[in-house]
Amino acid sequence: MTTNIPSKYNPKEFEDKIYDIWMEENCFRAEVNKDKKPFTIVMPPPNITGQLHMGHALDMTLQDVLTRWKRMQGYEALWLPGSDHASIATEVKVVERLKKDEGKTKEEIGREEFLKRAWKWKEEYGGRIVQQVKKLGNSCDWSRERFTMDEGCNEAVVEFFIKLYEKGLIYKGNRIINWCPDCHTTLSDAEVEHEDIPGKYYYVKYPYVENPDEYFVVATTRPETIFGDVAIAAHPDDERYKHLIGKKVIVPLVGREIPIIGDEYPDMEKGTGALKITPCHDPNDFEIGLRHNLEQINCMNEDGTMNEEAGKYKGMDRFTCRKEFVKELEENGFMVKTESTDHNVGTCYRCHNIVEPRVSDQWFVKMKPLAEPALKAGDNKEVEFVPERFTKIYTHWLENIRDWCISRQLWWGHRIPAYYCQECGEIMVQKDAPHKCTKCGSTNIKQDEDVLDTWFSSGLWPFSTLGWPNQTEDFKYFYPTDVLVTGYDIIFFWVVRMVFSALEMTGESPFKNVFIHGLVRDAEGRKMSKSLGNGIDPLEVVGQFGADALRFMLMTGISPGNDTRFNNDRLESSRNFANKLWNASRFVLMNIDGDLIDEETAKANYKTEDKWIISRMNKAAKEVTDNLDKFELGMAAQRVYDFIWNEYCDWYIEIVKPRLYADEGTDKDTARFVLIKVLKDMLKLLHPFMPFITEEIWSFLPETSSRLIKADWPKASENENFEKAEANMEFIMEAVRSIRNTRAEMNVAPSRKARAIFVPSKDEAVEFIQTGAQYFATLANITEIKIVHDKTQIGEDTASSVMEGTEIYLPLADLIDFEKEIERLEKEKSRLQGELDRVVGKLNNEKFMSKAPESVVNEEKEKMAKYESMMEKVVERLEHLKAK
């Protein structure tokens, strides 16, 4: 053991070094150990599409705090890392690179070559993300790192698909889906973001077939879909339209005859109370169409342009068509009016372009049978959300869930394990490609071109990463996992899918708790984004301040489920805290010379301050543990901060300095013992939040045989509760604060010695005051203490302060040099008179009063009032001193 700790805190000198040591010594490695309880977290896998952002830093720090804490509590703690293939996002990136580097499209190089480039991208960016995660100090078990498209996860995906298909829960059908015309793929409902944009209601005339001079008016926000109209629907109870149900109208400018039908879906209060029905371009219209056996007419191409159903508008962009078609409707007298409205539209969560509902032949998962067990798991508390309010989002999504479209028109992803006979059309769903058709024997077989939705595979993450569908030792020991840490923005994307997938495949909920955190916003509360240019790279922050400072800033001031703000002042404060801890630790180590005394000897010689700091440490350990148990990581971090900065550094170290500077003896040895004992425990409490600095300081401490990461978590003990010592020290500290405040109010230098007269109002205060004599001398420069029970015994002119249990009086003669104070006050009086003369002169100046703005005049009046008040106090003080 060497106490030669560097004089300055410089995280760059040891953070990387310590991480390498942890890796070399397998400190993050979890083993199947039947003698220990497991604790498992699976990392929400970051996409391989680029840099980690501040949201990742928060998410991962929360997971690391929980993992390190549980590891120190004696659990076999596994934090399993990995990354996600992010089907759409990655394909877009690879396509862009292909075009930029080679000037080619993916179709030009073919599927096989394109996938080679996608895997190359994964190797490049997946590796980069791992390095970034390590820089933050995350204690993941890298020996178990997974990727959503690795061999094991791929096996799980195929198994899951086949099992659902065999149970009739996966089907292929021609249904309405969300289509992104820019990404050229389907999207699940969860991948569509809804936003209000300015739009219009277009009120359009549909002439009656029987009498073309009369017409039915329908309002629409999307007139370009009129080419796909197959009916008009009105509520059967709507008195305005009851008599019209069954009649026919003509689609304006298209000429097609369509029926007026009765259906309960139309809202009688909205628009005209009736709807045009376009089954291929609206999910609600699609369902109405199925109920009434209506024709399906698709009037748009996959790229968002109009098709041949739009006649002369064929090939035109959908929004250009809207503009031109509206103009034609107006010119031909079919437009009644337009109204401005906020129009809620769905946009692609990746490219943010407007999504187009579209009927398409796709693969779907039947959700109702899967949603019911997931709802029960929420009701029965098999899955608990922290905070509890987020259960509502989970429940609402499951109660309103529609069948999930899982096929994507992409190449990068898990290929759908469905094979088609090109001769008879038989569909074969199986693990390996069939050699011949099971129905007709043909060998002309082709695999489905589409891949599965990214969330289909990431929904299996908590168990596929542990070896399922195989009953591996890892799966049997570490599953189900304990906590999922994630943001509130992907509850329905991911959390819901993991729960119903796990219940269906494993019979158990994949995790007990879902710990929800908020977003990291900028200092002004705005969401960090590229468009605003307010994103902050965590690695740049680590380079400048160190990983510990970033982690601690992210952990303090947070509460479950709520957003937090990235703030440079708080970052500086976190670094200052690290610096304070470093300097305090260095001071302690510099005063440790030779071996420490044994604990029994130290206990027998504890002084009041020793018992106080040990008792406070004992309570801090309990409070921090309780907060971590409740996922109140922000409160836990703040409690550690308060103990280290305020109680250990600002009070205990200052109190025991005289003992450390004294000659050798039991009193000095006891102080050394307590300093190290408490320092060790507080480093343990701080370690999950600031792992690097705590591990580095730990390496210099005496009698530490193993790494701090493997040390035992402090446990509160009744034997270390010293209530009387706490009460005594709290009294003494409050008295010291009162004396210091009195000095400050009177501008008396802290170094000036003084006497103190105490007038106790409680019996125990007498004992506390007597115990505190040495502390008042050390911490408040009090040379003599006098206890009186009658204020008439005070006798001198004094400054006083009141605290619980006593009043404290300081003789003014000790605090003030009367002649110098009178001289100072006379100068202050002269200065204030000058300021008053100047202000009064301005306010009596007619020219100033007539020309100056009212705000300036008011400002001068406020100055005059302030100076008059200050003058009054100075004069009163002068008169008092001169009367002495």
Side-chain angles (χ1 to χ4, degrees):
M1 191 274 292
T2 173
T3 58
N4 192 23
I5 187 169
S7 59
K8 288 188 177 179
Y9 167 61
N10 183 358
K12 288 182 181 177
E13 290 181 356
F14 58 80
E15 287 193 346
D16 288 347
K17 175 197 76 175
I18 284 176
Y19 201 90
D20 289 343
I21 289 170
W22 286 332
M23 290 288 286
E24 286 163 16
E25 296 181 2
N26 285 323
C27 293
F28 309 154
R29 170 81 186 169
E31 303 290 350
V32 173
N33 183 346
K34 297 295 167 60
D35 296 329
K36 280 186 176 185
K37 281 185 74 175
F39 175 82
T40 316
I41 293 181
V42 290
M43 177 189 289
N47 294 349
I48 58 164
T49 51
Q51 297 283 105
L52 289 186
H53 53 66
M54 203 54 74
H56 289 121
L58 171 65
D59 189 70
M60 290 181 180
T61 303
L62 290 166
Q63 292 171 77
D64 196 39
V65 168
L66 293 172
T67 304
R68 286 177 182 272
W69 165 52
K70 285 295 182 182
R71 190 182 288 124
M72 293 174 79
Q73 278 195 319
Y75 288 80
E76 194 63 35
L78 167 63
W79 181 17
L80 195 149
S83 52
D84 188 77
H85 66 283
S87 207
I88 296 175
T90 304
E91 182 144 329
V92 166
K93 294 279 188 185
V94 179
V95 166
E96 286 173 357
R97 177 183 277 190
L98 184 64
K99 185 177 180 182
K100 183 183 175 186
D101 294 352
E102 301 178 46
K104 292 180 179 177
T105 65
K106 67 176 190 175
E107 288 77 17
E108 286 174 326
I109 65 168
R111 187 173 197 136
E112 191 177 333
E113 282 300 314
F114 179 78
L115 290 177
K116 284 181 184 176
R117 284 157 175 77
W119 278 105
K120 186 180 174 186
W121 173 282
K122 185 266 172 188
E123 294 308 316
E124 183 181 338
Y125 285 94
R128 185 183 298 182
I129 284 168
V130 167
Q131 294 312 309
Q132 292 171 339
V133 173
K134 288 180 176 178
K135 273 284 186 186
L136 294 169
N138 294 312
S139 61
C140 317
D141 185 346
W142 293 108
S143 70
R144 288 182 169 87
E145 184 186 356
R146 302 302 300 269
F147 176 55
T148 47
M149 279 176 60
D150 66 27
E151 190 177 338
C153 289
N154 191 59
E155 182 187 353
V157 167
V158 172
E159 181 83 3
F160 184 47
F161 188 98
I162 292 170
K163 282 182 178 290
L164 291 184
Y165 182 79
E166 287 173 349
K167 286 186 73 172
L169 294 174
I170 282 183
Y171 65 92
K172 194 171 190 191
N174 215 35
R175 295 183 62 83
I176 195 89
I177 49 95
N178 306 296
W179 180 264
C180 178
D182 293 87
C183 295
H184 293 282
T185 184
T186 56
L187 300 170
S188 69
D189 289 342
E191 291 169 313
V192 177
E193 296 175 345
H194 291 272
E195 56 185 85
D196 287 329
I197 63 169
K200 288 183 178 178
Y201 267 129
Y202 300 90
Y203 289 78
V204 182
K205 298 176 182 177
Y206 285 70
Y208 293 109
V209 171
E210 293 175 357
N211 184 3
D213 293 332
E214 293 185 6
Y215 47 82
F216 195 113
V217 178
V218 177
T220 179
T221 55
R222 300 165 67 214
E224 68 277 12
T225 62
I226 285 174
F227 300 106
D229 285 357
V230 295
I232 285 176
H235 197 288
D237 297 334
D238 196 325
E239 295 296 335
R240 294 169 294 178
Y241 304 127
K242 266 184 179 180
H243 65 291
L244 297 173
I245 292 171
K247 294 187 180 295
K248 289 192 172 184
V249 293
I250 302 166
V251 179
L253 298 179
V254 176
R256 184 166 57 248
E257 293 183 8
I258 60 173
I260 298 171
I261 61 172
D263 192 275
E264 293 187 352
Y265 178 76
D267 183 346
M268 290 186 275
E269 304 298 319
K270 194 173 179 181
T272 63
L275 299 172
K276 69 183 204 63
I277 306 303
T278 317
C280 283
H281 299 284
D282 183 275
N284 298 308
D285 292 6
F286 179 79
E287 297 299 332
I288 293 170
L290 291 181
R291 285 199 289 274
H292 296 272
N293 199 26
L294 298 173
E295 185 184 3
Q296 294 179 354
I297 300 174
N298 182 1
C299 61
M300 266 183 231
N301 297 313
E302 290 183 353
D303 62 358
T305 58
M306 307 305 292
N307 66 18
E308 60 279 353
E309 292 291 344
K312 66 182 182 182
Y313 296 103
K314 180 184 175 183
M316 190 178 284
D317 175 76
R318 54 187 165 155
F319 299 119
T320 308
C321 173
R322 177 184 297 178
K323 190 177 175 183
E324 294 300 318
F325 188 48
V326 164
K327 194 186 296 181
E328 189 180 356
L329 287 168
E330 287 171 341
E331 289 169 354
N332 287 274
F334 289 108
M335 188 67 68
V336 178
K337 62 176 179 176
T338 60
E339 282 178 0
S340 294
T341 182
D342 278 340
H343 181 31
N344 187 266
V345 300
T347 60
C348 173
Y349 82 116
R350 279 295 169 199
C351 70
H352 304 294
N353 286 299
I354 292 176
V355 166
E356 198 62 52
R358 173 184 180 83
V359 169
S360 181
D361 194 26
Q362 302 288 343
W363 287 93
F364 293 86
V365 175
K366 279 186 188 172
M367 284 313 307
K368 198 168 181 352
L370 294 170
E372 285 172 359
L375 277 167
K376 282 181 187 170
D379 292 340
N380 300 338
K381 303 291 184 186
E382 291 171 53
V383 179
E384 291 191 68
F385 283 81
V386 181
E388 198 271 335
R389 68 178 186 272
F390 286 100
T391 308
K392 289 178 184 174
I393 296 175
Y394 171 85
T395 302
H396 177 78
W397 186 258
L398 283 167
E399 286 175 343
N400 295 279
I401 204 161
R402 297 193 306 180
D403 285 0
W404 172 22
C405 178
I406 54 171
S407 44
R408 298 289 179 270
Q409 288 63 56
L410 302 165
W411 287 354
W412 174 243
H414 297 275
R415 191 105 173 248
I416 291 175
Y419 301 86
Y420 304 96
C421 175
Q422 301 301 292
E423 301 298 329
C424 71
E426 178 72 0
I427 300 177
M428 291 156 279
V429 171
Q430 56 190 69
K431 188 174 181 179
D432 300 310
H435 297 295
K436 60 181 182 178
C437 176
T438 53
K439 187 176 182 183
C440 73
S442 170
T443 56
N444 187 8
I445 292 166
K446 191 177 178 184
Q447 186 175 357
D448 197 302
E449 291 285 329
D450 291 350
V451 299
L452 288 160
D453 177 11
T454 296
W455 302 102
F456 190 89
S457 55
S458 53
L460 313 182
W461 190 246
F463 50 98
S464 65
T465 51
L466 292 168
W468 186 91
N470 303 306
Q471 291 294 310
T472 64
E473 291 303 307
D474 272 6
F475 177 72
K476 287 187 278 189
Y477 180 68
F478 288 110
Y479 184 83
T481 68
D482 291 88
V483 187
L484 176 78
V485 180
T486 188
Y488 57 66
D489 51 339
I490 59 170
I491 290 174
F492 45 80
F493 270 121
W494 191 40
V495 179
V496 167
R497 304 201 194 291
M498 283 189 284
V499 175
F500 70 64
S501 301
L503 289 170
E504 179 65 25
M505 291 298 112
T506 72
E508 294 181 272
S509 173
F511 26 71
K512 170 63 178 165
N513 294 108
V514 182
F515 176 25
I516 300 291
H517 61 78
L519 303 175
V520 181
R521 297 184 178 274
D522 69 9
E524 296 172 37
R526 300 174 302 175
K527 187 174 179 178
M528 290 186 179
S529 67
K530 287 179 184 174
S531 58
L532 287 173
N534 63 346
I536 296 164
D537 183 352
L539 295 191
E540 286 184 15
V541 176
V542 169
Q544 187 178 353
F545 293 89
D548 284 329
L550 172 60
R551 288 168 63 110
F552 202 72
M553 186 277 288
L554 289 169
M555 289 299 97
T556 46
I558 62 165
S559 58
N562 294 327
D563 292 346
T564 185
R565 294 189 182 191
F566 182 91
N567 187 302
N568 266 316
D569 290 341
R570 284 179 51 224
L571 194 57
E572 292 274 5
S573 173
S574 294
R575 186 175 60 180
N576 292 343
F577 173 56
N579 202 49
K580 178 99 169 176
L581 173 65
W582 186 268
N583 290 336
S585 303
R586 186 168 180 270
F587 171 81
V588 170
L589 287 165
M590 287 169 66
N591 283 280
I592 302 299
D593 185 19
D595 296 331
L596 295 172
I597 60 172
D598 64 274
E599 188 166 6
E600 287 306 311
T601 305
K603 276 184 179 178
N605 292 281
Y606 281 166
K607 299 189 76 169
T608 302
E609 66 262 31
D610 301 327
K611 290 180 179 178
W612 166 73
I613 196 66
I614 288 168
S615 192
R616 294 301 297 156
M617 177 68 233
N618 198 41
K619 287 185 175 165
K622 183 180 187 311
E623 288 167 24
V624 171
T625 305
D626 288 348
N627 281 320
L628 289 172
D629 272 328
K630 293 184 287 189
F631 298 99
E632 289 286 0
L633 276 64
M635 290 173 69
Q638 189 63 47
R639 184 68 186 89
V640 181
Y641 174 94
D642 290 341
F643 177 80
I644 293 174
W645 189 297
N646 299 329
E647 297 179 286
Y648 186 79
C649 296
D650 283 358
W651 285 100
Y652 186 70
I653 286 178
E654 293 305 313
I655 289 169
V656 299
K657 276 180 179 178
R659 292 164 67 184
L660 295 175
Y661 299 154
D663 293 335
E664 295 299 321
T666 306
D667 200 28
K668 181 174 184 174
D669 289 342
T670 302
R672 287 169 168 171
F673 174 87
V674 174
L675 280 166
I676 288 292
K677 170 182 168 63
V678 176
L679 177 56
K680 283 181 180 178
D681 277 349
M682 70 190 201
L683 288 175
K684 290 177 182 179
L685 290 186
L686 183 61
H687 178 73
F689 303 96
M690 302 179 89
F692 290 114
I693 186 174
T694 51
E695 187 75 84
E696 180 70 357
I697 293 170
W698 183 266
S699 69
F700 290 97
L701 297 186
E703 300 173 14
T704 52
S705 56
S706 65
R707 301 288 172 200
L708 176 56
I709 190 175
K710 292 183 175 180
D712 291 336
W713 184 254
K715 289 180 181 175
S717 165
E718 282 299 317
N719 295 331
E720 294 196 334
N721 272 345
F722 301 109
E723 298 294 346
K724 186 173 180 182
E726 280 197 60
N728 198 342
M729 278 305 299
E730 288 299 330
F731 180 93
I732 291 164
M733 289 157 64
E734 184 58 34
V736 168
R737 279 191 284 265
S738 293
I739 294 167
R740 286 174 175 175
N741 288 341
T742 301
R743 287 175 176 275
E745 286 166 10
M746 300 185 69
N747 295 315
V748 177
S751 59
R752 190 174 179 111
K753 297 187 183 302
R755 292 165 293 151
I757 303 163
F758 287 82
V759 184
S761 56
K762 290 185 177 179
D763 291 341
E764 67 175 6
V766 176
E767 183 187 346
F768 290 169
I769 294 163
Q770 290 168 339
T771 309
Q774 58 180 315
Y775 307 110
F776 299 140
T778 306
L779 301 170
N781 245 325
I782 297 299
T783 56
E784 181 189 326
I785 285 173
K786 186 177 179 184
I787 299 174
V788 302
H789 295 281
D790 182 354
K791 290 183 187 178
T792 59
Q793 296 177 325
I794 296 170
E796 299 182 59
D797 195 10
T798 58
S800 67
S801 60
V802 181
M803 54 175 276
E804 189 180 356
T806 192
E807 292 173 63
I808 307 171
Y809 295 85
L810 305 180
L812 289 180
D814 293 353
L815 303 177
I816 299 171
D817 183 325
F818 286 95
E819 288 184 13
K820 282 188 177 178
E821 182 65 5
I822 289 170
E823 184 183 339
R824 185 188 72 79
L825 287 168
E826 290 285 6
K827 284 180 181 176
E828 179 66 2
K829 180 183 174 184
S830 177
R831 184 188 74 81
L832 288 170
Q833 189 60 56
E835 294 290 352
L836 273 169
D837 291 344
R838 184 187 62 76
V839 174
V840 171
K842 262 190 177 183
L843 293 173
N844 288 337
N845 185 325
E846 288 184 17
K847 193 175 180 182
F848 170 79
M849 293 298 287
S850 63
K851 290 188 174 181
E854 187 181 349
S855 60
V856 174
V857 172
N858 288 337
E859 192 178 324
E860 292 300 318
K861 286 179 179 177
E862 285 172 12
K863 284 181 186 176
M864 185 171 75
K866 181 181 76 171
Y867 293 139
E868 284 174 343
S869 173
M870 291 170 71
M871 178 66 89
E872 189 180 325
K873 289 175 183 172
V874 168
V875 169
E876 183 185 338
R877 185 81 178 132
L878 269 170
E879 287 173 357
H880 181 74
L881 291 176
K882 285 177 180 179
K884 295 293 172 192

